[in-house]
Amino acid sequence: MDSVLQARTLSKSFGALRACDGVDLDLRTGEIHALIGPNGAGKSTLIKLLAGSLTPDTGSVHIDGTDVTREGVAARARRGIARTFQVSALAMEDTVLQNALLGAIGARRSAFRFLRPALRDEQARMTAEAALARVGLSDAARTPVAQLSHGQRRQLEVAVALAQSPRAFVMDEPMAGLGETGSAEMTALLDGLRHEAPILLVEHDMRAVFALADRISVLVAGAVIASGTPTEIRADEAVRRAYLGEEA
Amino acid sequence: MPTALLVEQLLNGLQAGMTLFLMAAGLTLVFGVMGLINLAHGSLYMVGAFAAAAVAAATGSFLLALAAALAAGAIAGVVVEMVVIRRLYDRDHLDQVLATFALILIFSEGTRWVFGSFPLQLDIPAWLAGPITLPGGIPYPLYRLTIIGIGLAVAIALWLLIERTRTGIRIRAGENDREMISALGVDISRLYTLVFALGAALAGLAGALVGAIQSVQVGMGEPVLILAFVVIVIGGIGSIRGALIGALLVGMTDTMGRILLPSLLATITDASMAASVGASLASMSVYILMAVVLVWRPSGLFGAAT
Amino acid sequence: MSREAFVNAAILLALLAVPLWALANDEPFTITLATRAAILALAGVGLNVALGLGGLVSLGHAVFFGIGGYAMGVLASHAQSYDPIMEAPFLIEGTKSMPIIWIAALVTSAIAALGIGALSLRTSGVYFIMITLAFGQMAYYFAIGWPAYGGEDGLSIYVRNGFPGLNTLDPIQFFAIAYTLLLLALLLVWRLSKSPFGLALNAARQSAARVETAGIRPYTLRLTAFVISGALTGLAGALFADLNRFVSPSMLSWQTSGEIMVFIILGGVGRLCAPVAGAGMFVLLEHWLGGTGEFWHIWLGAILLFVVLFARGGLIGALAGRGRTDG
């Protein structure tokens, strides 16, 4: 089995609301697996369950075959889950390079070194700089994040994740708030990333989803109602009913 | 322990809890509604006590003294809110801590400058001074019972205010969404001044009530302030109900600890050691209570999860 | 050299120049004032690790300052009475040697910081402020009630503790000790702030979610910072007690916690040398205003209020221009 990130019968309720209802999901080597669904379908809950910021009521999460259901966010990150946020979560006063370094430091487990300057750790720095180069932020390395444009911050989110040298990306709406050009650039960037590590992509931009995804899972009311290639999903009756309503 | 003593101590604990509640209610409202941590709340307690002592000395009327304490607390609250506090609502907690710490320095030294360093005397009036006999033949000071009664009355009045009145609806709305309620045309800065003055008046009242049992002096507010913080941490920030339950828990723990710990220790060590170590442990007991609650529920008994 | 580095150097040189000038003019009291400023600055440098780097508004650092003070008081009082601290299961004797006292102060305050931090850091924001304040009060009452080491009256030692090769009774030599420790602490904190740990801690202050997602637990970062912070403040406490040859519960009081924090804001939050500038200002104000009348705290309060409301950058901000927090 080449499944890097695996969810089995994941369920989570908030009071009477079943936000996640028996979800099975696999993220396989080399793929972009898109997760789509209408607002309130439970995509955010599922991401939190996978990343470890929520604990499921039942079911399990495996990373590379290891059961991580009881592990927190940081522990799963060290196992290779790199998450990006819908609303950029960055150290705004720090420079672009310092933010990218954070990813490298986390992955190298060197956060508890106290006396040598972080910038003198050549390997961490090279990893961080390579990640910045990959997303096109090399020129902005010394710029504080607060001075970046929205689009550049979205790119930096991806760069920090990349600097973690992850086993799998979990990306929450990387296109959020990007214009036409920005979306196209991001699409091109993600397209190349799938060979570094597979991407679980939650995205509302359907053009990007259908352009990028190897497989798509459709989440409605907390449950996966269909899973398959873009062609299969386009043709799926249940999906057409859920998404298009009367048009189906 | 004889029943009479136990009942007396339980009532003492209740009374201590009620005065703490008067302090904690204002603090928790101000934090819940305006998001402000106010270290100078203890100064308003002191202002109330001094105003009461001064008016009692001048007029001889305890009721006038209490009215003066409420008024002085409220007026000091309004002035401080309009001059300093309202500039702090949008600042981070560090700024709030430091600015209100500065206010403590100014209030304490200012009071010392006006009234001198010696404690003032505020006497319990004759008509409240004696003990009354409780059912079961247990004597208990009427004055302390009165404090318990005032505390209960304030708790009920606050509950009615917040749950049943227009102002209460606005206060609750202010906790949730500042922009929305000002968009709805509510004068938010007046509401904030009002809430702050209300909390300040209650602190002033507490200062006067306690001032008649203990002494009225500079620096009397801060130990109470810190206990009120413990109350809020235990009860959960922003919750009046939490403040009441927390205050009673802290008042009881403190009072009973002082009585029970030395006698418990006396069974395992010699008497003088037990007395001093017991007193020392007893004064720590409320903080130990706080630590236990924290481990169990980090955002307090009635607080929203953080 | 950046403008801030220049200002920092000027502040540190000024703190060195004052006692040297006083030595030349035979004014030992001024040397003692400078020593007091250096020691208080060291306490602030300690708090600044938690506050400036970690964003942890601790109102309970007097605990560590006091523990350092009592580490000195306990060890030295046992040494002067030739009465061992404990004999079973193993012998611990008192000492009059500063280096050993410093180690004891560092270790005991670090342990206290570990315990208090482990509990307090389960919360954040305003809860954290209140809880650290409450733990401070708990230590204060404990010290008042514990009779073995003076209780409310505190503990005096007859002669200042010794340092190999130096005469610590000579004001300028004791100043040299305090100043050197201050410089070492500043060097440590400066290195810390540039290290991977400092980078992660600083990032956790700004976005805990980002740091956690990178695989680093913010809780562990903050607890580590809190322990380092408490230990440095504890060391300052030992020196402070040695300066006064006296330790009392007032070192543990909440006012002390507030004052240590005041040093940082007077100097400028987020600046390496803020505690030095702030403690220097504090000691000067205390000396000048304390001389003109007994109500000098009113003026301190007014100045503090002014700085918080209108001059967020503090002294260093005014001298060196915009920094982290006013950007």
Side-chain angles (χ1 to χ4, degrees), chain B residues 48-115:
Chain B
F50 273 91
V55 168
T59 67
S61 162
F62 189 70
L63 286 179
L64 277 180
L66 287 191
L70 275 167
I75 291 168
V78 168
V79 171
V80 163
E81 201 274 346
M82 290 175 67
V83 175
V84 177
I85 300 288
R86 63 173 50 173
R87 299 170 200 275
L88 297 172
Y89 294 139
D90 295 328
R91 298 290 195 89
D92 59 25
H93 293 320
L94 176 62
D95 282 7
Q96 298 176 348
V97 162
L98 287 159
T100 53
F101 180 73
L103 285 177
I104 295 181
L105 296 178
I106 295 170
F107 266 110
S108 294
E109 289 288 85
T111 309
R112 192 171 288 144
W113 186 49
V114 175
F115 290 97

Side-chain angles (χ1 to χ4, degrees), chain C:
Chain C
M1 191 145 89
S2 77
R3 195 160 151 202
E4 186 178 338
F6 182 76
V7 170
N8 287 345
I11 290 168
L12 289 171
L13 279 176
L15 182 56
L16 181 62
V18 167
L20 290 179
W21 171 86
L23 181 69
N25 290 277
D26 196 25
E27 293 197 26
F29 180 68
T30 305
I31 302 179
T32 302
L33 278 185
T35 312
R36 185 178 158 83
I39 293 170
L40 292 178
L42 178 60
V45 170
L47 175 61
N48 212 15
V49 173
L51 186 73
L53 281 181
L56 305 171
V57 183
S58 163
L59 249 184
H61 259 52
V63 174
F64 314 121
F65 195 61
I67 285 177
Y70 273 97
M72 184 302 276
V74 170
L75 286 171
S77 69
H78 280 278
Q80 74 189 10
S81 63
Y82 300 101
D83 169 29
I85 295 171
M86 66 183 218
E87 288 169 288
F90 44 85
L91 182 73
I92 299 182
E93 287 189 89
T95 177
K96 294 284 288 177
S97 160
M98 277 190 192
I100 297 173
I101 287 170
W102 296 343
I103 291 167
L106 284 166
V107 170
T108 48
S109 46
I111 291 170
L114 185 65
I116 292 175
L119 279 170
S120 310
L121 287 167
R122 292 170 58 85
T123 65
S124 59
V126 113
Y127 278 99
F128 181 81
I129 299 173
M130 293 182 182
I131 289 159
T132 47
L133 181 60
F135 278 125
Q137 198 74 351
M138 171 168 152
Y140 174 70
Y141 282 124
F142 180 79
I144 283 188
W146 200 262
Y149 295 106
E152 201 162 357
D153 300 329
L155 199 57
S156 290
I157 59 163
Y158 308 134
V159 183
R160 189 171 286 152
N161 296 300
F163 188 92
L166 290 178
N167 172 16
T168 56
L169 295 176
D170 179 6
I172 196 72
Q173 296 196 35
F174 187 58
F175 170 81
I177 290 173
Y179 188 74
T180 307
L181 286 174
L182 173 65
L183 288 185
L184 287 174
L186 282 170
L187 183 68
L188 173 78
V189 173
W190 179 67
R191 295 298 294 248
L192 214 57
S193 70
K194 303 284 176 203
S195 72
F197 172 76
L199 183 82
L201 179 66
N202 202 15
R205 178 175 58 79
Q206 302 166 59
S207 171
R210 166 50 62 210
V211 171
E212 198 172 20
T213 307
I216 309 162
R217 284 185 69 202
Y219 180 84
T220 321
L221 286 170
R222 290 173 181 151
L223 186 55
T224 309
F226 200 74
V227 169
I228 295 171
S229 171
L232 286 177
T233 303
L235 176 63
L239 287 169
F240 191 75
D242 232 331
L243 174 69
N244 301 325
R245 278 171 282 146
F246 175 63
V247 53
S248 77
S250 74
M251 275 181 80
L252 292 153
S253 73
W254 70 272
Q255 286 96 334
T256 305
S257 293
E259 282 172 4
I260 299 174
M261 196 178 276
V262 167
F263 305 152
I264 296 177
I265 191 89
L266 288 181
V269 179
R271 313 284 191 154
L272 178 69
C273 283
V276 186
M281 266 173 85
F282 183 88
V283 169
L284 278 182
L285 287 172
E286 184 182 45
H287 181 58
W288 284 337
L289 297 175
T292 59
E294 56 179 310
F295 303 113
W296 82 279
H297 273 117
I298 288 193
W299 300 109
L300 177 66
I303 290 168
L304 178 59
L305 203 53
F306 174 80
V307 170
V308 175
L309 292 181
F310 306 112
R312 237 350 270 278
L315 185 64
I316 298 182
L319 295 174
R322 294 161 71 83
R324 187 186 87 200
T325 47
D326 43 10

Side-chain angles (χ1 to χ4, degrees), chain A residues 115-167:
Chain A
L115 294 176
R116 259 190 66 177
L119 287 167
R120 295 263 177 79
D121 182 340
E122 290 300 332
Q123 273 183 306
R125 187 172 168 161
M126 273 162 58
T127 311
E129 283 174 343
L132 290 179
R134 188 73 182 270
V135 304
L137 282 177
S138 293
D139 293 341
R142 303 267 161 210
T143 312
V145 176
Q147 292 173 21
L148 294 186
S149 69
H150 175 75
Q152 287 175 311
R153 288 181 199 174
R154 304 306 295 163
Q155 291 168 334
L156 179 55
E157 280 269 321
V158 176
V160 180
L162 190 55
Q164 287 175 249
S165 316
R167 292 283 301 144

Side-chain angles (χ1 to χ4, degrees), chain B residues 236-250:
Chain B
I237 295 176
S239 160
I240 294 281
R241 187 170 53 146
L244 182 61
I245 306 281
L248 294 180
L249 269 175
V250 169

